[in-house]
Amino acid sequence: LASMLEEPVEEVTGRSLLEIVAPEHAPMVDRVLYRTFKGGSEAAEFKALTATGERRWVRAFLQRSAGRQVRVSGVLLDIHDRKKNEASVMATEERMRLMLDAVGGQVAILDAEGRYAYATPQWAAAFGYVSEADLIGRSGFNFLDGEGEAAARQILLQAVTTKDRTPIEGCMTVLTDHGRALYAKFTVVPMLDHPLIEGLVCKMEILEDRTEESAA
């Protein structure tokens, strides 16, 4: 702990845990300590203040110790670098999503099983949804007829076994939950080895609305 805080051991000994917690996290840590004193164990992540005033992320494992005096003992781990890496990845992912949304068009990302991991608002709207969240986690095969599913599974097999990112194209009819039948061209770019996307980037171009034809 002393090394983490860049302070001599004698300066750290006897201090309250709350004295080293960054002000914005002090109320949360105070609640964690209260629950620990009441019994059981707790884990928490918060920023600690070093001797130089730097805020470093730490993870605390706290447990009530029974004895002549009720105490809370625990272990603090320095997780600052991990948190910075996580924040960097999240920021990059967010920039990627904003870029896809800004570019526009009907674009989606599916995983290696054909489930939706992402969709632009334009793609969701084509399927009759207000929010792309309605598609996340659902199988893309659920929106295809038998012939279309067979074609899609062939594309999926080709995409997950290819060793490059060559686009794969195919046309099939999409059956939405709202009764529309859309004949569309799909262009699939395998990005399974990409550190952020890790999926199949699909672009959809609607060629024909067969809803009325199907109804007839």
Side-chain angles (χ1 to χ4, degrees):
L1 176 60
S3 175
M4 188 188 306
L5 299 178
E6 302 175 357
E7 294 190 50
V9 174
E10 57 271 19
E11 292 293 328
V12 177
T13 303
R15 292 174 62 185
S16 165
L17 176 63
L18 291 174
E19 292 182 48
I20 69 169
V21 178
E24 63 270 25
H25 289 166
M28 179 269 292
V29 175
D30 189 38
R31 291 192 296 271
V32 169
L33 284 171
Y34 174 77
R35 290 196 299 269
T36 306
F37 271 115
K38 297 287 286 184
S41 59
E42 289 274 346
E45 294 182 357
F46 58 88
K47 288 182 180 179
L49 297 175
T50 69
T52 60
E54 180 189 5
R55 286 168 159 78
R56 293 192 67 82
W57 277 100
V58 300
R59 181 171 175 81
F61 298 91
L62 305 173
Q63 187 171 6
R64 174 177 168 170
S65 300
R68 292 184 178 180
Q69 289 184 318
V70 176
R71 298 173 179 268
V72 170
S73 59
V75 176
L76 291 182
L77 299 178
D78 189 334
I79 60 170
H80 191 69
D81 290 341
R82 191 203 81 193
K83 278 288 192 179
K84 285 203 306 183
N85 290 338
E86 287 178 354
S88 177
V89 169
M90 289 176 64
T92 304
E93 289 178 337
E94 183 62 21
R95 284 195 295 269
M96 180 197 73
R97 293 178 185 278
L98 290 173
M99 178 190 70
L100 288 172
D101 287 349
V103 168
Q106 292 152 346
V107 178
I109 298 175
L110 280 70
D111 65 17
E113 301 296 326
R115 293 183 295 263
Y116 281 97
Y118 167 81
T120 61
Q122 294 91 335
W123 182 294
F127 278 66
Y129 296 114
V130 175
S131 170
E132 56 271 28
D134 293 316
L135 286 168
I136 304 306
R138 298 185 63 180
S139 172
F141 299 124
N142 292 341
F143 299 96
L144 303 171
D145 58 16
E147 183 179 342
E149 181 177 347
R153 289 192 181 279
Q154 184 61 39
I155 291 175
L156 179 66
L157 177 62
Q158 187 177 348
V160 299
T161 56
T162 185
K163 297 184 182 299
D164 56 32
R165 296 177 180 173
T166 302
I168 306 166
E169 295 184 348
C171 294
M172 58 202 75
T173 300
V174 175
L175 305 173
T176 75
D177 286 341
H178 303 82
R180 297 185 69 192
L182 307 172
Y183 186 66
K185 174 184 176 182
F186 292 87
T187 302
V188 180
V189 182
M191 301 285 280
L192 293 165
D193 60 341
H194 193 283
L196 295 178
I197 296 175
E198 294 183 305
L200 308 173
V201 179
C202 305
K203 183 175 181 180
M204 177 174 61
E205 179 186 356
I206 297 176
L207 303 177
E208 184 182 354
D209 188 339
R210 293 182 172 177
T211 305
E212 294 182 1
E213 177 185 326
S214 300

